[in-house]
Amino acid sequence: MENFSTNNISHDSLLTLFSKAPVAMSLLLGDNFVISNANPQILELWGRDRSVIGKPLFEVLPEIKSQGFEAILEKVYKKGEIFNGNKWPVFLHKYGQYEEHFFNFIYAPVYNDDQAIIGISIVATEVTDQIIYEKKLKESEYRFEDLIRQSEYSIAIYRSEDLYIEFANDPMLKTWGKDASVIGKRLEDALPELEGQPFIGILKDIFRTGDTYTATEDMVELVVDGKLQSFYYNFSYKPLKNSEGKVYAIHNMAVNVTDEVVARKSIQESEKKYRDLADSMPQFVWTCDKYGHITYINDSWYSYTGFSKQENPNEAIRKIIKPEVYPHILEIWEKSAKTGKPFEVEYEFQDPKKPDTYRWFLGRAVASFDDNGEIVQWIGTFTDIDDFKQLQKQKDDFLGIASHELKTPLTSLKLYAQFIEMKLQKQQDPKNAEVARRMNDQIDKLTELINDLLDVTKIQNGKIQLSESEFDFDRLVEEVITEQQMTARHKIIFHEHRIGMVTADRHRISQVMSNLISNAIKYSPDADEVFVSAALQNNRVRFSVKDLGIGIPQDKQEKVFEQYYRVSGSKEYTFPGLGLGLYISSEIIKRTGGKIYVHSVEGKGSEFSFEIPKIKI
């Protein structure tokens, strides 16, 4: 502002100049820096009003004196040097607040006609909002960069169509098998093995189209640890655009899914192998989910049934199962599905060759569990057992006929043995009379075995009949114990509890009691006592027999009530029998509306119990 003086420019002209200027302006005069003029813009910047005009600057703004402005103004005023402040921080008292502000400003000397400095002109612009925005942007960039550096995902940024690697975090460098020295290089120079693969071309196309590209389980070959290897990634190429909508860079994020893909392919290969194996088997092999929805049945099933693979397999099975047993099978399945225990049922499937007949199949299934013990799926089979069932029926028929035919000669033998024993007793021949008595005992045992066989055939054919009546349960227990005690070495100890009248088949309940007591005596050869108890609770009678014998292994306790089953062990040869007593007892109790069970510890003894309703309602 050379050759400027207050004498040759009017005061009104200065006011007009300052007020119309688009920027904040002020004029300081004299070595006290008196505010000669100040437009509304600069008064707003200072947070002052027009009353400051005519006052020294440091009187109006004392807080800026200690911030270096006194030295700056002195230098401009005394040496004539123009001072430029760019984004200069200044703390000001404005409207009761002491806050930091930022300004771009110019301090220039003002001369009179004699070229003497008479003051300083100020031109200023506040850039506080811009500085705050830039700081926040920078902080955001730092946070973003730190975030992607710390990310577990592989992230990189490629700039310009030449695909210079501007940024790559540690996971991406590890993915490439490279170190940080590749940053700043072109992608195709940093990873020459990408030549011949589609990725460079895809990236360059994005600069042209501006479209995001995503891929799932894409294979890429990379040189890692010195050798070319195949990897699988889920990744995205996202264009970064400027304010004009032009792509200036590409953001690449990738997730390594190689292990999952390889594992799945391995499982698929294994599944195919096992399905091929299953398809070659004569049994019907199937799988279903935890809810019972069938997910696979092998080819043997479709060959046998003639059903289409497009047909719902659950519905197909329902169609060929004998209708009257289907609800019962569903009940057993629901119990297995709830507990996770193996499923085993004998089915009658319609014979496709003879629609009016059914063939027997054995259905079995076991559950597969995940690490949390939850059922994942069931694997099962249907096995044709019709020939076996026919042979079993023939066997049962034979046993029934044979047992029935044997009863007549055995009855005669028993009479002859008793007659011989009586004659020898009268002839004073006790030695031979004892032989006759033992022969009579063996005939009784043989009769019991034959009766068991007859009972089994009746059970198998559904012909066992229960003649229910009301009887005194306590008296029956006393009778059975007295009868068993007559031939037993063991002392039978009865813990009496009054039960009263019970409605059931007295003869069959007596048969079950006798069987449990005689078993307790038989299987505790080294003990001297067995314990019998009866109790009543909620209209149910519980009868128990406890021994101190050999006990039953845990894994075999559920099998003792099966037909012909006998517990295996080193002493099995010392305990004769057909293994029918507990099976018959179990069937009698089930048909009475009760249940039978055992608690046992191997080597310490067993307790067999049954429960039946006291009075059927």
Side-chain angles (χ1 to χ4, degrees):
M1 298 184 69
E2 292 184 7
N3 301 320
F4 171 84
S5 78
T6 56
N7 294 324
N8 51 25
I9 296 180
S10 70
H11 185 263
D12 290 340
S13 297
L14 280 174
L15 286 177
T16 302
L17 171 66
F18 277 62
S19 63
K20 299 297 183 182
V23 294
M25 297 180 65
S26 179
L27 177 64
L28 307 179
L29 293 178
D31 52 8
N32 287 329
F33 309 120
V34 174
I35 302 171
S36 176
N37 284 292
N39 69 355
Q41 289 89 333
I42 203 163
L43 292 174
E44 173 63 26
L45 296 188
W46 290 342
R48 304 296 190 270
D49 58 26
R50 291 192 58 79
S51 63
V52 303
I53 296 174
K55 296 179 181 179
L57 178 67
F58 293 124
E59 182 182 323
V60 173
L61 301 171
E63 64 268 27
I64 71 170
K65 189 173 184 180
S66 61
Q67 297 180 50
F69 284 92
E70 184 176 23
I72 294 170
L73 291 171
E74 287 285 345
K75 195 172 183 180
V76 175
Y77 186 74
K78 292 180 179 179
K79 295 185 178 181
E81 296 179 1
I82 296 174
F83 184 86
N84 285 288
N86 185 39
K87 299 179 181 178
W88 199 272
V90 183
F91 284 89
L92 293 174
H93 281 292
K94 290 179 65 174
Y95 312 117
Q97 299 289 329
Y98 186 66
E99 294 178 333
E100 185 178 32
H101 298 263
F102 295 86
F103 299 94
N104 292 337
F105 59 85
I106 300 174
Y107 292 167
V110 176
Y111 297 87
N112 62 14
D113 292 337
D114 298 328
Q115 298 299 307
I117 298 173
I118 60 172
I120 298 172
S121 66
I122 300 174
V123 178
T125 304
E126 184 167 4
V127 291
T128 303
D129 290 343
Q130 178 187 341
I131 296 300
I132 292 173
Y133 174 77
E134 288 176 353
K135 281 186 175 181
K136 288 182 177 179
L137 182 61
K138 203 67 176 177
E139 288 171 1
S140 176
E141 288 177 351
Y142 286 145
R143 284 197 300 270
F144 176 71
E145 184 173 333
D146 185 61
L147 180 65
I148 60 178
R149 284 189 186 279
Q150 300 300 323
S151 174
E152 295 179 0
Y153 299 113
S154 302
I155 299 174
I157 295 175
Y158 314 122
R159 187 170 291 274
S160 84
E161 293 186 45
D162 290 325
L163 302 176
Y164 284 100
I165 302 171
E166 183 176 280
F167 173 84
N169 66 356
D170 289 341
M172 183 61 88
L173 293 173
K174 185 178 179 181
T175 292
W176 293 338
K178 304 294 186 289
D179 57 29
S181 64
V182 300
I183 295 175
K185 293 182 178 180
R186 293 194 312 161
L187 183 62
E188 53 192 316
D189 294 334
L191 282 76
E193 63 267 28
L194 293 179
E195 184 179 355
Q197 300 184 61
F199 307 104
I200 299 294
I202 293 170
L203 286 164
K204 290 186 175 182
D205 279 346
I206 291 173
F207 279 95
R208 178 177 54 82
T209 64
D211 296 330
T212 297
Y213 179 88
T214 60
T216 301
E217 297 182 359
D218 239 13
M219 189 185 79
V220 57
E221 292 186 332
L222 297 169
V223 176
V224 177
D225 297 329
K227 58 183 178 181
L228 189 64
Q229 302 179 54
S230 295
F231 299 92
Y232 294 87
Y233 287 91
N234 295 341
F235 66 88
S236 66
Y237 294 151
K238 184 176 181 180
L240 303 178
K241 301 178 182 180
N242 59 22
S243 59
E244 298 174 355
K246 186 177 180 181
V247 178
Y248 67 89
I250 295 174
H251 175 266
N252 175 203
M253 185 168 71
V255 180
N256 190 335
V257 292
T258 304
D259 291 343
E260 292 88 334
V261 172
V262 171
R264 189 182 69 251
K265 287 187 174 183
S266 176
I267 291 170
Q268 289 171 344
E269 290 173 2
S270 297
E271 284 183 350
K272 184 179 184 305
K273 185 197 309 180
Y274 285 115
R275 289 198 176 195
D276 289 345
L277 177 62
D279 285 338
S280 68
M281 294 175 64
Q283 288 101 334
F284 307 150
V285 181
W286 52 274
T287 61
C288 71
D289 62 22
K290 62 181 179 180
Y291 304 108
H293 302 133
I294 291 178
T295 54
Y296 164 78
I297 301 186
N298 68 346
D299 288 345
S300 298
W301 161 266
Y302 294 105
S303 298
Y304 175 81
T305 62
F307 285 120
S308 165
K309 289 187 178 183
Q310 280 68 48
E311 190 167 354
N312 185 314
N314 290 80
E315 185 63 22
I317 290 173
R318 188 194 65 77
K319 286 180 181 178
I320 67 169
I321 288 179
K322 205 168 190 177
E324 54 265 35
V325 301
Y326 186 71
H328 176 63
I329 292 169
L330 278 182
E331 184 180 332
I332 297 172
W333 164 254
E334 287 170 2
K335 190 178 294 183
S336 290
K338 188 178 293 183
T339 62
K341 291 183 178 180
F343 169 76
E344 185 169 321
V345 174
E346 291 183 354
Y347 296 81
E348 285 182 273
F349 283 160
Q350 189 178 54
D351 189 338
K353 299 175 183 176
K354 303 174 183 177
D356 295 332
T357 61
Y358 289 85
R359 290 185 66 84
W360 283 97
F361 282 80
L362 174 63
R364 285 196 178 107
V366 293
S368 297
F369 300 90
D370 62 18
D371 294 339
N372 298 319
E374 297 291 328
I375 296 174
V376 177
Q377 68 169 357
W378 290 82
I379 302 172
T381 58
F382 297 135
T383 304
D384 191 328
I385 57 169
D386 195 71
D387 292 342
F388 169 76
K389 294 289 284 188
Q390 297 306 323
L391 288 172
Q392 189 178 50
K393 184 177 184 305
Q394 292 173 17
K395 177 205 69 177
D396 290 339
D397 290 344
F398 168 76
L399 287 176
I401 294 169
S403 300
H404 187 270
E405 293 298 321
L406 285 171
K407 290 201 75 174
T408 301
L410 276 175
T411 302
S412 299
L413 279 173
K414 183 172 179 64
L415 290 172
Y416 292 144
Q418 290 174 340
F419 176 76
I420 291 170
E421 182 184 359
M422 289 172 55
K423 292 289 289 181
L424 290 172
Q425 290 285 359
K426 288 179 180 180
Q427 293 174 6
Q428 303 294 315
D429 188 354
K431 185 175 181 181
N432 287 321
E434 175 65 18
V435 172
R437 186 189 67 77
R438 291 186 179 180
M439 182 172 66
N440 187 48
D441 289 343
Q442 294 303 313
I443 291 171
D444 286 341
K445 290 182 179 178
L446 184 57
T447 301
E448 287 180 8
L449 292 175
I450 290 171
N451 286 335
D452 282 349
L453 288 171
L454 280 171
D455 280 343
V456 168
T457 57
K458 289 177 182 177
I459 290 169
Q460 295 291 344
N461 295 320
K463 294 180 180 179
I464 189 168
Q465 300 295 323
L466 298 181
S467 301
E468 294 184 345
S469 63
E470 191 176 40
F471 62 91
D472 189 326
F473 192 85
D474 305 299
R475 180 176 294 180
L476 178 61
V477 175
E478 291 171 0
E479 289 176 7
V480 172
I481 290 175
T482 300
E483 181 182 325
Q484 291 289 322
Q485 190 67 78
M486 291 174 64
T487 57
R489 175 183 63 80
H490 296 62
K491 184 177 181 181
I492 303 172
I493 300 172
F494 178 41
H495 298 290
E496 188 174 357
H497 182 94
R498 303 308 296 176
I499 303 299
M501 303 304 288
V502 172
T503 301
D505 187 320
R506 190 180 193 279
H507 169 68
R508 290 298 186 181
I509 295 300
S510 169
Q511 182 180 348
V512 176
M513 291 178 179
S514 297
N515 182 267
L516 296 185
I517 294 173
S518 62
N519 273 357
I521 293 169
K522 183 196 303 186
Y523 288 99
S524 56
D526 298 328
D528 298 318
E529 298 172 328
V530 296
F531 306 90
V532 177
S533 64
L536 179 63
Q537 186 176 11
N538 298 329
N539 193 46
R540 291 185 72 81
V541 178
R542 186 180 74 246
F543 177 85
S544 301
V545 180
K546 183 178 180 181
D547 65 64
L548 303 175
I550 64 171
I552 305 170
Q554 182 69 34
D555 61 336
K556 297 177 180 177
Q557 291 180 21
E558 291 186 1
K559 296 181 177 291
V560 295
F561 299 105
E562 295 178 4
Q563 185 179 354
Y564 302 116
Y565 185 84
R566 295 176 62 216
V567 176
S568 300
S570 59
K571 296 185 178 181
E572 64 177 324
Y573 63 91
T574 64
F575 306 116
L578 295 177
L580 295 174
L582 288 175
Y583 168 70
I584 294 169
S585 297
S586 173
E587 293 298 320
I588 290 171
I589 295 301
K590 287 178 184 176
R591 283 166 169 74
T592 307
K595 63 178 181 178
I596 189 167
Y597 49 90
V598 60
H599 296 292
S600 183
V601 178
E602 191 172 9
K604 294 186 178 181
S606 305
E607 182 175 15
F608 282 83
S609 305
F610 70 78
E611 294 180 14
I612 58 172
K614 185 176 188 296
I615 299 174
K616 290 190 176 180
I617 300 174

